[in-house]
Amino acid sequence: MPSSTTPAAESGSALWAPDRRVPTLALILLVTLAAFEAMSVGTALPTLVAELGGQDLYSWPFTSFLAASVIGTVLSGRVCDRLGPVPSLVVAPGLFFAGLVVAGVADNMWVLLVGRVLQGAGAGAQIVALYVMVALVYPERDRPAAFGALSAAWVVPSLVGPGLAGLATELLSWRVVFLGLAPLVLIGWLLLIPVVKTLRARPDAVPEQPDAPRKGLPLAAVCAAVGLSALTWAAEHPQLSSLFLGLGGLVLLAPSLRRLLPPGTLRGKSGLPVVVLSRGLLSGSFFAVQAYIPLVLSNVHGYSPTLAGVPLTVGSLGWSAAAAWQARQRDVQSEVMIRRGFLLLAVALAGAVLIAPAWGPAWLIYPLWAIAGFGMGTAMPNIAVRVLALSTPGDRGFNGAAAQVCDMFGSAALIGLGGVLVGAIASASQPTAAVIPLDLVMAGFALLGAALISRNVTKS
């Protein structure tokens, strides 16, 4: 297996050269299965909550997963920096597998929540370990292809996951959503065995000089998990009381993020901090607008639930196409690709304002959301590439975890802002007055991201 500094494989394939096939297959399979689970749970949730008598805990399967994911992400990053990615690669899929089984056999909501916590911890730990594995297995020139494949692994689950979950729930049982994935996760886990063996034999698998220990990371991770959970709850319950809960979450998050993010991230400091910040701005602005597209199409324009969900599918296809395209742009600086992605996203978000009023051309959201997806697929893999490039071997785990945390925080905070606007100046049945300023503010955040990342672009 080549080191991260070796030239591209002689076969010409960044992903499928003989010494990369198994790592690539394991990466794609594990991410695809985690994506299927993420996209399917929402479909099965009403049925499983009703069967388990957990109506009062309806949001907690999502909230508990999110909280555990934050903790798993942060702790896995530290383990990777101290011991290399092998421990997390061994443990994380096992936690996810155990969580699927526990949730699948749950006979009450509390057991289900235990399963969701295990799934969240495993998913969070797994993604950071896979990031660090990419740094070891793929030369820097080929990493856009690896991260493009990781992004593309979400596309098929986005397209068919909810539908398959609905059929399985209706014709069989909601338990199939969990138990049906468990054997496939086990296969992905087994595929990691030769990767783990090879990594253990590499002298660079464990950093020779890991960064000095960062004090208070576990406590900061717990506080961030609680804060993000509060923001998520507030976003899912847009009412006045939730506003105070969301503000409390932000207060708890502020000191935690100082520990969990590189210094200067929230100020947009040039270098690594602004690249990490761009992950939160990108995800937050995209998902904040996307969360309200089906609502607008259904309640303002009278679209059926199926047609209202089509733009999300179009966006996923655009994301996948861009992820494949950017992998071939090896000679373009990563920051240039990130800036292009932000600008494309800004155009789409600003254009989405036109569909908010009843007189607006609702059909316009289809090409606009294809553009938004293309912007995401252009920028997201390059953010991951640049985070690794700006990291030393001893802080790849920390910085990879920081990018994930910034993503979660940005999405939760900005989706929550949308919920506050809907609750304060509009309603779910008539959301136009809230969606227009939300779309414009999110377009502004995308332009801000483009401006900030421009300072990292090397002048030719």
Side-chain angles (χ1 to χ4, degrees):
M1 192 176 293
S3 71
S4 60
T5 57
T6 58
E10 294 181 359
S11 71
S13 172
L15 300 177
W16 303 107
D19 51 359
R20 301 182 194 170
R21 289 172 186 162
V22 174
T24 296
L25 185 59
L27 182 149
I28 292 174
L29 181 58
L30 289 173
V31 173
T32 298
L33 294 174
F36 260 113
E37 189 273 344
M39 299 303 300
S40 300
V41 168
T43 303
L45 192 62
T47 301
L48 73 86
V49 166
E51 183 175 319
L52 298 179
Q55 287 83 354
D56 293 339
L57 300 172
Y58 188 88
S59 296
W60 279 98
F62 294 114
T63 304
S64 59
F65 182 96
L66 175 68
S69 183
V70 172
I71 296 172
T73 296
V74 172
L75 297 184
S76 178
R78 197 58 192 147
V79 168
C80 288
D81 287 340
R82 304 296 292 181
L83 303 174
V86 168
S88 291
L89 287 174
V90 171
V91 173
L95 285 174
F96 191 70
F97 171 81
L100 290 172
V101 173
V102 171
V105 301
D107 59 357
N108 61 68
M109 279 295 291
W110 296 108
V111 175
L112 179 80
L113 293 180
V114 170
R116 292 293 287 165
V117 166
L118 291 172
Q119 290 170 48
Q126 174 178 285
I127 194 63
V128 176
L130 291 175
Y131 270 43
V132 177
M133 184 189 79
V134 166
L136 293 170
V137 172
Y138 303 87
E140 185 171 351
R141 184 175 174 82
D142 292 337
R143 289 175 192 166
F147 286 115
L150 191 151
S151 293
W154 277 82
V155 174
V156 172
S158 298
L159 295 176
V160 305
L164 288 178
L167 286 175
T169 301
E170 183 178 348
L171 300 178
L172 300 171
S173 168
W174 60 265
R175 299 179 187 277
V176 175
V177 172
F178 300 106
L179 297 178
L181 291 177
L184 299 177
V185 172
L186 186 59
I187 292 173
W189 196 11
L190 294 175
L191 281 174
L192 286 174
I193 292 176
V195 181
V196 166
K197 288 182 178 178
T198 305
L199 288 176
R200 280 177 173 164
R202 291 175 58 114
D204 59 346
V206 178
E208 293 182 4
Q209 294 182 332
D211 281 9
R214 293 176 169 86
K215 296 180 180 179
L217 275 185
L219 178 60
V222 172
C223 290
V226 174
L228 270 174
S229 299
L231 282 176
T232 303
W233 182 274
E236 293 172 352
H237 301 79
Q239 52 193 15
L240 184 60
S241 59
S242 298
L243 173 62
F244 296 105
L245 180 63
L247 290 175
L250 286 174
V251 170
L252 194 60
L253 271 169
S256 303
L257 291 178
R258 293 185 60 187
R259 296 282 185 186
L260 300 178
L261 302 178
T265 297
L266 298 181
R267 293 184 285 107
K269 181 180 176 182
S270 295
L272 175 67
V274 77
V275 177
V276 172
L277 177 63
S278 68
R279 177 71 178 264
L281 290 173
L282 190 75
S283 292
S285 56
F286 175 81
F287 287 111
V289 173
Q290 179 171 274
Y292 294 95
I293 288 175
L295 184 70
V296 169
L297 292 178
S298 296
N299 293 353
V300 176
H301 296 284
Y303 278 37
S304 68
T306 299
L307 286 178
V310 169
L312 279 59
T313 300
V314 172
S316 295
L317 293 174
W319 192 322
S320 178
W325 171 78
Q326 64 81 37
R328 297 192 293 271
Q329 312 306 307
R330 294 181 174 182
D331 296 324
V332 182
Q333 187 181 351
S334 291
E335 280 89 349
V336 172
M337 299 294 285
I338 298 169
R339 181 175 62 189
R340 291 175 181 174
F342 268 120
L343 292 175
L344 286 170
L345 183 61
V347 169
L349 300 183
V353 170
L354 296 175
I355 75 155
W359 50 261
W363 60 266
L364 191 60
I365 195 61
Y366 297 112
L368 283 174
W369 219 241
I371 294 171
F374 201 91
M376 294 296 290
T378 299
M380 192 68 79
N382 283 282
I383 291 174
V385 168
R386 201 61 189 140
V387 167
L388 283 182
L390 294 171
S391 303
T392 66
D395 66 3
R396 286 169 177 162
F398 174 82
N399 292 335
Q404 290 292 119
V405 168
C406 202
D407 185 311
M408 294 182 230
F409 168 72
S411 298
L414 297 185
I415 292 173
L417 174 62
V420 170
L421 288 174
V422 170
I425 63 176
S427 66
S429 60
Q430 296 180 324
T432 300
V435 169
I436 289 175
L438 176 68
D439 291 353
L440 291 175
V441 169
M442 294 307 109
F445 275 125
L447 289 175
L448 174 63
L452 290 174
I453 205 68
S454 293
R455 296 182 303 176
N456 272 24
V457 176
T458 301
K459 303 298 182 182
S460 57

